[in-house]
Amino acid sequence: MEIRKLIEESETYLMHTYNRFPLALKKGRGMKVWSWDSKEYLDFVGGVAVNCLGHCHPKVVVAIQKQAQRLIHVSNYYHIEPQTRLAKMLVEHSFADKVFFCNSGAEANEAAIKLSRRYFRVHLDQDKYEIISAHNSFHGRTLATLTATGKDSLKIGFGPLLPGIRHVEFNNIEALNNAITKNTCAVLLEPVQGEGGVREPASDYFRAVRKLCDNNNVLLIFDEVQTGIGRTGKLFAYENYGITPDIMTLAKGLGGGVPIGAMLATDKIATAFQPGSHGSTFGGNPLVCAAAIATMEVLLEDGFILDQCLRMGKYFRERLEDLKKDFPEIILEVRGIGLLIGLELFRDGAPVVKACMDRGALINCTAGNVLRFMPPLIVTEKEIDQLVDILEQVFDTFS
Ligand SMILES: *Cc1c(COP(=O)(O)O)cnc(C)c1O
């Protein structure tokens, strides 16, 4: 199909929930994607932090092919070998003891909210139900996770929202302390605010949050949908902060491109879910779990990719700091950890994204003026150099 016709039919048949670029992609390999009209692009969006091993990693492709030939779906009425194997891998590499599988980040957070309420109400017979999350956070689009999301513009027209959720300033321990009441059951936070503009906490923030939660008998939920699965150079971002949460949610990178979400918890909390408490038809089906196992295996092989992610993240930030010196009137700040990197501008980021696309690089802009880079963790210096060259050209045209 011709690109113009494709765009026309998209507008005819799809709900207009996205403002899409006039670009369609038909093929991808590693760091590269090719458009409908065969133009090549360097991909620094990575499917919004999903394609952690790049496009069509051969081991993930083979795992999907093999599993598709064997068994695609059977429902959770039965034991599913790849699901169990994936759960074991996640448990063996995290603080958690138990895993629940679903299909997206929002569903994982929804499950975390349900589990924490049920833990106090049913398990401990305590009337604690209030969830505290952060301003500027993003936790998903279902009604509960939209309520938890700290961005009012996303909520217009959807009320009444879920009662029992309140927001405090991120990275402000005093504000959190003041917000916790005897009814608070959980604090839900992203280790690094991704959609909110790649905002990192102060180095001692999460230790203080952990202590506050412990002292008040409140659960700590980490939304690692974006930061998990190697993005920060550790398998899970909480490892950077010297603490463990009680519940953690995953999605984006977990399946190397296929839709899968997971909610992990310690045994003590997980037992609040009993048969019938929660479920999902597709959750943890054989096909997506086979893809996720392959992804995890590649990621964990000798820690090679995690090391690479750390080194490339450092290199990338250094190059961006250099760029900031050349364009002090355009670049406000370089932020980020591992390969979740933000470049805050003094100006609107959308024209920069467009200009980079014209020059063969896909980047993302979030929170209006923050360029966000979430390349596959296999990105190399050469590709980072190519992107920084393109950014330099683009900023030149703006200054
Ligand atoms: C993307 C994201 C979500 C929502 O994930 P979906 O799969 O789109 O539902 C939730 N939390 C964070 C931190 C995210 O980045």
Side-chain angles (χ1 to χ4, degrees):
M1 200 188 299
E2 205 205 325
I3 179 77
R4 201 168 327 147
K5 179 127 193 293
L6 173 59
I7 291 171
E8 213 177 276
E9 294 205 347
S10 293
E11 274 161 15
T12 307
Y13 297 112
L14 293 169
M15 290 200 195
H16 196 190
T17 50
Y18 311 98
N19 262 330
R20 299 173 199 263
F21 295 103
L23 173 68
L25 300 165
K26 67 170 176 198
K27 194 176 126 181
R29 204 58 97 238
M31 276 293 297
K32 288 178 182 154
V33 285
W34 287 269
S35 68
W36 217 246
D37 47 356
S38 302
K39 285 201 194 103
E40 188 178 292
Y41 293 86
L42 264 181
D43 186 3
F44 276 78
V45 179
V48 195
V50 166
N51 298 309
C52 54
L53 301 180
H55 292 276
C56 300
H57 188 285
K59 290 202 173 148
V60 178
V61 171
V62 168
I64 293 172
Q65 283 171 336
K66 280 193 175 159
Q67 189 60 49
Q69 283 173 344
R70 202 176 298 137
L71 186 69
I72 294 177
H73 181 82
V74 285
S75 93
N76 285 305
Y77 290 137
Y78 315 103
H79 291 276
I80 296 169
E81 193 268 349
Q83 184 181 129
T84 305
R85 199 142 52 93
L86 177 60
K88 188 176 173 192
M89 288 176 91
L90 289 169
V91 164
E92 285 177 350
H93 289 92
S94 75
F95 73 93
D97 303 306
K98 294 279 192 290
V99 185
F100 171 83
F101 286 109
C102 51
N103 312 291
S104 69
E107 275 184 51
N109 286 328
E110 188 86 21
I113 290 169
K114 286 180 73 176
L115 179 64
S116 42
R117 283 188 171 176
R118 193 175 156 92
Y119 171 69
F120 287 107
R121 291 275 185 61
V122 175
H123 217 54
L124 301 184
D125 198 22
Q126 295 176 8
D127 195 30
K128 284 159 83 83
Y129 58 86
E130 211 164 71
I131 312 279
I132 300 174
S133 64
H135 291 305
N136 201 41
S137 63
F138 186 80
H139 298 294
R141 303 284 196 156
T142 63
L143 274 172
T145 60
L146 177 66
T147 310
T149 291
K151 194 172 175 202
D152 288 341
S153 62
L154 303 181
K155 306 182 184 185
I156 296 164
F158 296 122
L161 298 176
L162 192 73
I165 296 187
R166 51 202 289 187
H167 298 87
V168 297
E169 195 188 347
F170 185 62
N171 205 12
N172 180 338
I173 198 70
E174 212 36 55
L176 183 61
N177 191 18
N178 293 336
I180 290 177
T181 70
K182 65 178 188 349
N183 296 328
T184 308
C185 76
V187 171
L188 166 61
L189 295 168
E190 295 160 89
V192 177
Q193 292 192 327
E195 304 295 312
V198 190
R199 300 192 184 269
E200 293 170 87
S203 60
D204 55 351
Y205 176 64
F206 281 120
R207 274 180 206 276
V209 171
R210 180 71 269 181
K211 207 154 159 199
L212 212 50
C213 289
D214 289 342
N215 292 344
N216 290 282
N217 190 25
V218 167
L219 300 181
L220 177 57
I221 306 171
F222 262 16
D223 177 347
E224 294 230 22
V225 168
Q226 187 158 154
T227 57
I229 316 297
R231 182 56 45 190
T232 69
K234 305 275 187 193
L235 190 57
F236 306 113
Y238 73 78
E239 298 170 50
N240 294 298
Y241 303 106
I243 55 136
T244 57
D246 301 296
I247 300 176
M248 171 170 72
T249 56
L250 300 172
K252 293 198 166 88
L254 178 58
V258 301
I260 179 171
M263 189 269 290
L264 288 74
T266 57
D267 257 331
K268 184 181 82 166
I269 299 157
T271 46
F273 270 176
Q274 280 139 16
S277 307
H278 194 54
S280 164
T281 299
F282 286 124
N285 98 358
L287 189 72
V288 296
C289 287
I293 290 166
T295 304
M296 290 277 290
E297 278 175 354
V298 174
L299 211 58
L300 293 169
E301 262 172 36
D302 306 326
F304 166 75
I305 290 182
L306 297 181
D307 286 348
Q308 162 112 348
C309 169
L310 275 182
R311 278 187 294 113
M312 290 306 113
K314 185 165 170 287
Y315 179 74
F316 199 171
R317 284 193 302 278
E318 284 168 5
R319 295 282 339 245
L320 292 174
E321 288 289 356
D322 288 341
L323 202 61
K324 178 170 176 259
K325 289 194 196 107
D326 294 339
F327 297 98
E329 74 291 359
I330 297 182
I331 300 172
L332 173 62
E333 192 179 31
V334 180
R335 289 196 290 265
I337 176 169
L339 284 166
L340 179 55
I341 295 177
L343 190 68
E344 182 161 359
L345 308 181
F346 285 112
R347 52 168 297 145
D348 183 20
V352 181
V353 174
K354 171 75 175 56
C356 285
M357 190 178 294
D358 292 341
R359 289 168 172 77
L362 303 183
I363 63 168
N364 169 257
C365 172
T366 188
N369 66 330
V370 181
L371 302 183
R372 180 175 47 161
F373 308 102
M374 308 156 278
L377 309 181
I378 55 161
V379 67
T380 62
E381 282 189 6
K382 184 171 151 247
E383 289 144 349
I384 291 168
D385 289 342
Q386 284 174 326
L387 178 74
V388 173
D389 285 348
I390 290 174
L391 285 170
E392 193 176 344
Q393 288 169 27
V394 170
F395 290 152
D396 259 334
T397 66
F398 287 142
S399 51

